[in-house]
Amino acid sequence: MITEVLAAALADSLRESEVEIAVSEIQMERPALREHGDWSSNVALVTAKKVGRNPRELAEELVKAIESGSVDLIERMEVAGPGFINFYLSPRWLHDVLIQVLTEGEESYARLEIGSGQSINLEFVSANPTGPLHAGGGRWGAYGDSLARIFRRCGYQTFTEYYVNDRGLQTELFGASLIARRDGTALPEDGYAGEYVAEWASEMPTNVDPVEWGRKRALTDVQKSLASMNVEFDNWASENALVESGAMEATVAELRAAGWVDERDGATWLRTSAFGDEKDRVLVKSDGEPTYFVPDISYHHEKFERGDLVIDVLGADHHGYVPRMSAALQMLGHPQESYEAIIGQNVTLIKEGQEIKLSKRTGTMVEVSELIEAVGPDVARFAYLLQSVDSRQTIDIDVLSKQGNENPVYYVQYAHARIAAVGREATSRGIERAPLTSIDVELLTQERELELLRCLSMLPEILEIAARDRAPHRVATWLRELAAAFHGFYHDCPVLRSDVESSLQQARLWLVESARVGFAIGLDLLGLAAPEQM
RNA sequence: GCGCCUGUAGCUCAGUUGGAUAGAGCGUCUGAUUACGGAUCAGAAGGUCGGGGGUUCGAAUCCCUCCAGGCGCGCCA
């Protein structure tokens, strides 16, 4: 990477100025303004004070030292502002990027090793099987699935799970609600009031266990919705199966043996406050029934068999639950940093100008399948992924469908389709790409061409940040930038037109191919289709 | 009351480890193609980055405080 070359040159010249700093400590950044060069470093600003020097003077000294050296990609350097060192590079560094993207290709370009040797268990969605997935749950589906793809490309062995709460109070309430709707009797207290309950009740045969039937019906529906937006899981973990295996008793025994369990007021408590939880939690109620917390602990304990790092993606309404789970897992011998909860803020849905509170209980909801039918899976998925999961998301179903052609996902996919169209057109004209080794890539000198390469060069770094920050939206933002760069290039730089000289045409054909690689990787990371035509 | 998240252009949102003149899409206005897909491109207008204080050579970013909004604080799940 070019930044490593520049940082190493800076480190060498700093040593000459009697400043010791590790290459990895030197920050290289892309200036906001093109006039400030291709790359910039603040290293003089950061180190000057420590050695009692004036930053600009130190910077000047470093520039002189590097200029006398032999980093041949540097065209010129300058000291700017309070002491920034700006590097102006030969376009050859971008031509190197082109060759790299093309030789590594879709399979290997921006495939990182940062996670190699580590495994991640990622749980997301895990909505109760008591109804269809609502449009809020779709956010966790899109997010979790894309995050898993990002982790995998970074070299983490990644295992995804959906925890199915297929026993307990909610499933029974749901079964009872189905019966009530079928028989036209009153809903149980706290029963499920959504329209879908009546619909499903009318499908329910009379000779089945409604609880059993209901949870299967709901789970099938959820699975179908998620699959329709290209969300898959490695494991659908059943709470029922877990409980039947005796895991709950084993977990309580293990916690008891570790000395964290108390009996108080006729109930059994876990001293989670010893690990930072705001209070202790009940494991077994005074009526002898375990709380939901117990199977949850068992499940999380077990997940460590399928990953060194266990991550839960949770909605904001569950964030209060994290300290107790973290406490319980530490008691079971899992270090604090091996469990991570990603708290995502909830989705507000707007339909026909009305904000809709998403609640399965009260029945005011928009199903994710309705959203997908209205706008298509890619529009829905991209809309979910465009935004940081830290902030509340507002999805206006009418705006998404109305935006139609101007939708951001089409902007990106259209770029990919255009690339495919160039290929088709080339074929129909009998134009083929010559071997890469015979191409004069230095013919690519126009700003549009270079900008496209600059954008492609950033993908590895973007991927790393997206994984580190658990932020798929960084990839989404990058894809839009790549699309803008490609459309700009396409507009200004003809490829197949008859007046384009053939060596330039060849270089541009390969440039187009490199963009295709970028789109293919980026769209795949987000689980979006890469259409050949639209 | 306490805890977590958020507050950036008219609207929806970007803005990694603190960097130079804070960006994009939509909307508004003005332009571009006898040429590979116009679902495109270029330009304009639009900002006290919620308010105030602090740290720093430098703050949308870090710290304090206030204001506003979302969520959570059960022997419910």
Side-chain angles (χ1 to χ4, degrees):
Chain A
M1 285 271 275
I2 183 70
T3 50
E4 288 157 12
V5 174
L6 298 177
L10 281 168
D12 286 345
S13 40
L14 276 161
R15 200 167 302 118
E16 285 174 36
S17 299
E18 289 170 2
V19 180
E20 282 296 333
I21 184 168
V23 176
S24 58
E25 298 282 306
I26 295 179
Q27 295 176 31
M28 296 302 303
E29 47 197 37
R30 230 168 257 276
L33 296 174
R34 188 63 38 71
E35 304 94 87
H36 292 150
D38 295 296
W39 290 96
S40 173
S41 179
N42 61 0
V43 72
L45 287 161
V46 175
T47 56
K49 198 171 192 180
K50 285 183 207 157
V51 294
R53 301 278 308 267
N54 172 297
R56 278 199 68 108
E57 272 174 29
L58 179 61
E60 297 285 1
E61 201 171 293
L62 297 177
V63 165
K64 281 205 187 88
I66 293 174
E67 276 171 343
S68 65
S70 59
V71 181
D72 63 349
L73 287 175
I74 300 175
E75 269 183 354
R76 65 190 177 89
M77 300 166 63
E78 69 176 18
V79 176
F84 292 103
I85 299 172
N86 295 338
F87 295 88
Y88 297 79
L89 303 182
S90 150
R92 272 183 295 127
W93 82 275
L94 289 168
H95 299 149
D96 291 348
V97 169
L98 174 66
I99 301 295
Q100 188 193 354
V101 172
L102 291 171
T103 50
E104 295 183 355
E106 193 174 328
E107 199 43 45
S108 306
Y109 182 63
R111 186 170 292 283
L112 309 180
E113 305 277 326
I114 51 180
S116 68
Q118 296 170 71
S119 56
I120 293 178
N121 185 288
L122 184 64
E123 180 199 336
F124 51 100
V125 187
S126 299
N128 284 347
T130 54
L133 193 65
H134 66 56
R139 186 178 198 188
W140 315 134
Y143 174 82
D145 186 75
S146 298
L147 188 56
R149 289 161 181 267
I150 288 166
F151 282 151
R152 289 187 179 116
R153 195 160 187 106
C154 287
Y156 295 96
Q157 190 186 325
T158 307
F159 194 83
T160 58
E161 306 204 12
Y162 184 119
Y163 183 48
V164 186
N165 298 100
D166 50 5
R167 63 178 277 284
L169 184 62
Q170 294 308 321
T171 54
E172 283 174 27
L173 263 176
F174 182 57
S177 302
L178 283 169
I179 295 177
R181 284 304 190 223
R182 187 188 60 193
D183 301 346
T185 54
L187 270 186
E189 197 181 338
D190 290 328
Y192 288 82
E195 283 173 34
Y196 68 91
V197 182
E199 259 174 58
W200 291 7
S202 68
E203 304 169 6
M204 184 168 66
T206 48
N207 58 344
V208 294
D209 174 356
V211 172
E212 173 81 7
W213 186 88
R215 74 182 186 216
K216 266 192 189 149
R217 178 69 179 78
L219 187 59
T220 307
D221 199 80
V222 167
Q223 288 175 324
K224 206 175 122 195
S225 292
L226 288 168
S228 76
M229 55 187 292
N230 203 17
V231 174
E232 309 282 350
F233 289 88
D234 295 318
N235 185 29
W236 297 81
S238 159
E239 179 184 355
N240 219 356
L242 185 90
V243 168
E244 278 171 14
S245 75
M248 278 207 300
E249 291 76 5
T251 301
V252 173
E254 206 174 330
L255 289 165
R256 200 183 291 277
W260 298 107
V261 175
D262 289 336
E263 308 294 333
R264 293 203 300 267
D265 308 326
T268 304
W269 295 75
L270 190 64
R271 292 212 316 277
T272 55
S273 60
F275 286 84
D277 194 8
E278 57 188 30
K279 58 179 117 173
D280 294 342
R281 305 292 169 176
V282 172
L283 293 177
V284 182
K285 295 183 271 181
S286 49
D287 66 3
E289 283 297 308
T291 61
Y292 79 101
F293 187 33
V294 179
D296 258 18
I297 298 171
S298 294
Y299 172 56
H300 280 75
H301 191 23
E302 181 196 282
K303 282 200 284 185
F304 281 95
E305 293 166 14
R306 303 185 288 270
D308 308 326
L309 173 62
V310 168
I311 301 181
D312 288 344
V313 177
L314 300 171
D317 51 342
H318 287 88
H319 82 265
Y321 150 101
V322 174
R324 78 192 69 167
M325 179 57 69
S326 177
L329 292 173
Q330 288 177 68
M331 291 168 185
L332 292 167
H334 305 294
Q336 187 174 14
E337 61 275 14
S338 66
Y339 171 67
E340 177 181 330
I342 297 172
I343 306 301
Q345 299 302 309
N346 294 326
V347 174
T348 302
L349 219 106
I350 295 180
K351 188 178 160 190
E352 289 158 12
Q354 293 287 312
E355 183 175 319
I356 298 179
K357 284 274 172 204
L358 298 171
S359 164
K360 268 189 287 203
R361 293 277 196 88
T362 61
T364 57
M365 62 183 284
V366 173
E367 299 175 14
V368 75
S369 57
E370 181 185 340
L371 176 66
I372 290 168
E373 273 166 38
V375 304
D378 287 343
V379 169
R381 217 177 141 131
F382 203 60
Y384 283 130
L385 292 173
L386 220 36
Q387 198 177 133
S388 160
V389 83
D390 286 337
S391 63
R392 213 162 134 239
Q393 183 168 43
T394 304
I395 287 191
D396 188 326
I397 198 166
D398 302 310
V399 168
L400 278 188
S401 22
K402 218 187 302 172
Q403 267 184 349
N405 293 345
E406 288 143 20
N407 208 288
V409 74
Y410 294 134
Y411 183 74
V412 175
Q413 290 181 323
Y414 181 54
H416 187 269
R418 272 183 149 177
I419 289 171
V422 170
R424 287 191 296 271
E425 183 64 20
T427 305
S428 78
R429 297 189 193 188
I431 298 170
E432 285 180 15
R433 282 199 305 261
L436 185 54
T437 49
S438 71
I439 301 302
D440 186 1
V441 293
E442 304 221 346
L443 293 173
L444 301 173
T445 55
Q446 288 208 19
E447 183 49 33
R448 294 291 207 179
E449 297 164 331
L450 299 178
E451 182 58 26
L452 187 49
L453 289 170
R454 258 182 223 115
C455 197
L456 284 167
S457 78
M458 289 191 280
L459 181 56
E461 190 186 340
I462 293 290
L463 178 63
E464 186 174 349
I465 291 168
R468 186 197 63 199
D469 295 347
R470 285 78 165 106
H473 78 277
R474 298 298 299 255
V475 176
T477 303
W478 175 82
L479 264 178
R480 296 173 78 173
E481 284 167 11
L482 183 68
F486 180 77
H487 287 308
F489 158 77
Y490 186 88
H491 190 266
D492 286 359
C493 303
V495 179
L496 299 174
R497 219 168 65 186
S498 54
D499 60 345
V500 178
E501 206 261 323
S502 91
S503 55
L504 178 60
Q505 180 172 78
Q506 283 296 325
R508 284 182 175 167
L509 279 169
W510 281 103
L511 179 62
V512 168
E513 168 61 13
S514 73
R516 187 198 64 75
V517 169
F519 283 114
I521 295 169
L523 288 167
D524 181 65
L525 286 172
L526 300 187
L528 299 167
E532 302 274 305
Q533 50 193 314
M534 295 171 67

